[in-house]
């Protein structure tokens, strides 16, 4: 009978990340508007946009293949599963054995590949530009992410997220230079992967600057709603990942009661709010860089991740 409560808690986490993803996007937009002295849209505006898109009819290009129709569902499914595997309010959940950091990177890479393929499928110039830029960014972001995984795995002795969170929250680890370098590298990768400023501007449709929007320019209706929801889930995933690995305090331990789980949910909501506010402040205080400067930006993340791994190898205490 213990399987039923475990399934309920795991299902609650999957539903929680799905419901909170648009709210996090709305929070970032609202804070950015306040910082720019504008009223801005309400927090629930992303939910309204998704409902409006779901009610609209899907318009497809004449030369769109069956793959173009299927890709939004594949991207949404892969991103939702990856976001649900990241421990949010508690560790040691029912599916925690599959919450491997390498598996999550693979799921995100698959979603990115499908989305780039969709941008090329219709054959428009915008889609080709966006897909080529997305692949270029991915070729630089993924090696940096792998080095971050190596650093954390060397410290925790595992690539499983629940184990990493349990080890990092213990007093045995403490403050380390390698963890600080890995955190900065992960933040840079998160900004690039989510097409945020200074790498990309999610609010623009200028052909010289857009990356993500160029790939999904031909989508409409429920297909566009799924892709937008997947983008919100991806942002929530990286904020949750940073909170799980570097701010794991407040997460409920395995086998604890409902009070610990409720405290974990409150702690998780606070982490999401802090992450959204910090992202909005960062995007408001910096300008978008040129596309040709992005390799330098992501190269810094790769070097930081490599340096963190080398520090861990050379000195186990750093």
């Amino acid at each position: 009978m213990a399987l039923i409560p475990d399934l309920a808690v795991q299902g609650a986490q999957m539903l929680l990340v799905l419901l909170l993803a648009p709210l996090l996007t709305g929070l970032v937009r609202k804070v950015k508007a306040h910082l720019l002295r504008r009223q801005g849209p309400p927090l629930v505006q992303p939910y309204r946009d998704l409902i409006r898109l779901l009610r609209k009819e899907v318009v497809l290009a004449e030369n769109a293949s069956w793959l173009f129709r299927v890709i939004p569902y594949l991207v949404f499914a892969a991103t939702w599963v990856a976001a649900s595997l990241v421990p949010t309010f508690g560790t040691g959940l029912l599916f925690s054995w599959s919450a491997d950091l390498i598996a999550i990177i693979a799921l995100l890479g698959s979603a990115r590949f499908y989305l780039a393929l969709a941008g090329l499928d219709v054959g428009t110039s915008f889609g080709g530009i966006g897909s080529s830029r997305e692949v270029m960014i991915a070729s630089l972001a993924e090696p940096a992410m792998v080095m971050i995984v190596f650093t954390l795995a060397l410290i925790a002795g595992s690539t499983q997220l629940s184990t990493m969170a349990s080890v990092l929250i213990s007093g045995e680890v403490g403050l380390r230079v390698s963890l600080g370098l890995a955190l900065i590298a992960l933040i840079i990768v998160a900004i690039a992967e989510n097409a945020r400023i200074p790498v990309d501007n999610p609010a623009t449709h200028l052909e010289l600057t857009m990356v993500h929007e160029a790939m999904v320019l031909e989508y409409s209706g429920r297909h566009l709603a799924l892709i937008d929801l997947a983008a919100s889930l991806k942002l929530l995933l990286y904020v949750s990942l940073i909170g799980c690995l570097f701010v794991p305090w407040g997460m409920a331990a395995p086998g604890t009661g409902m009070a610990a789980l409720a405290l974990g949910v409150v702690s998780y909501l606070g982490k999401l709010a802090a992450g959204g506010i910090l992202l909005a402040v960062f995007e408001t205080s910096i300008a978008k860089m040129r596309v040709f400067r992005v390799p330098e930006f992501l190269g810094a993340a790769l070097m930081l991740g490599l340096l963190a791994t080398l520090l861990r190898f050379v000195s186990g205490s750093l």
Side-chain angles (χ1 to χ4, degrees):
M1 296 300 292
L3 181 62
I4 296 178
D6 292 341
L7 280 174
V9 174
Q10 184 67 65
Q13 172 168 294
M14 296 182 67
L15 187 61
L16 182 67
V17 297
L18 183 64
L19 294 178
L20 289 180
L23 185 62
L24 178 61
T25 303
L27 175 64
V28 174
R29 294 175 182 174
K30 189 69 174 180
V31 174
K32 287 178 66 176
H34 275 292
L35 292 175
L36 296 174
R37 305 199 176 200
R38 294 188 286 109
Q39 183 176 359
L43 289 176
V44 296
Q45 187 61 42
Y47 298 100
R48 296 175 180 175
D49 295 338
L50 292 174
I51 295 174
R52 174 176 53 84
L53 289 173
L54 289 172
R55 292 176 177 174
K56 284 190 173 184
E57 181 183 358
V58 175
V59 179
L60 295 172
E62 295 181 356
N63 56 340
S65 67
W66 62 271
L67 194 61
F68 189 80
R69 300 176 177 87
V70 174
I71 281 177
Y73 301 96
L74 296 176
V75 172
F76 169 72
T79 309
W80 187 20
V81 171
S84 301
L85 291 178
V86 179
T88 55
F89 56 82
T91 59
L93 299 184
L94 185 61
F95 295 155
S96 62
W97 59 270
S98 61
D100 192 276
L101 192 53
I102 297 178
I104 291 174
I105 295 174
L107 286 171
L108 293 177
S110 300
R112 183 190 304 110
F113 168 75
Y114 290 134
L115 198 58
L117 196 61
L120 296 172
D121 184 77
V122 181
T124 60
S125 58
F126 284 152
I129 291 174
S131 297
S132 62
R133 291 175 177 175
E134 179 71 13
V135 173
M136 181 267 292
I137 293 173
S139 65
L140 299 170
E142 287 185 356
M145 194 66 188
V146 170
M147 299 310 300
I148 297 169
V149 173
F150 285 165
T151 303
L152 296 174
L154 288 172
I155 294 175
S158 173
T159 56
Q160 192 180 41
L161 287 174
S162 293
T163 304
M164 285 184 175
S166 301
V167 172
L168 293 174
I169 200 175
S170 63
E172 301 176 359
V173 178
L175 296 176
R176 299 195 179 187
V177 178
S178 57
L179 283 178
L181 296 177
L183 173 60
I184 298 174
L186 182 57
I187 292 174
I188 295 175
V189 171
I191 291 172
E193 290 279 12
N194 287 279
R196 310 298 303 193
I197 297 174
V199 176
D200 189 17
N201 188 355
T204 184
H205 284 82
L206 296 176
E207 65 274 11
L208 295 178
T209 59
M210 61 183 178
V211 178
H212 177 268
E213 294 297 325
M215 294 185 294
V216 303
L217 203 58
E218 297 296 324
Y219 278 113
S220 61
R222 63 179 181 275
H223 293 164
L224 185 58
L226 288 173
I227 290 177
D228 287 346
L229 184 54
S232 298
L233 281 168
K234 192 174 182 179
L235 177 61
L236 181 137
L237 184 153
Y238 275 96
V239 175
S240 302
L241 191 61
I242 293 173
C244 170
L245 295 177
F246 298 97
V247 196
W249 299 279
M251 301 177 66
T256 52
M258 294 302 297
L261 292 175
L263 180 61
V265 171
V266 174
S267 174
Y268 177 62
L269 293 177
K271 295 174 187 176
L272 286 184
I277 294 173
L278 290 175
L279 177 61
V281 172
F282 176 78
E283 287 192 322
T284 308
S285 60
I286 196 170
K288 185 187 176 304
M289 66 177 61
R290 298 176 60 191
V291 177
F292 302 106
R293 295 289 302 277
V294 173
E296 300 177 7
F297 184 69
L298 288 172
L302 179 59
M303 290 299 103
L304 289 173
L306 180 60
L307 182 59
T309 305
L310 292 176
L311 283 175
R312 179 58 186 169
F313 269 120
V314 173
S315 176
S317 61
L318 293 179

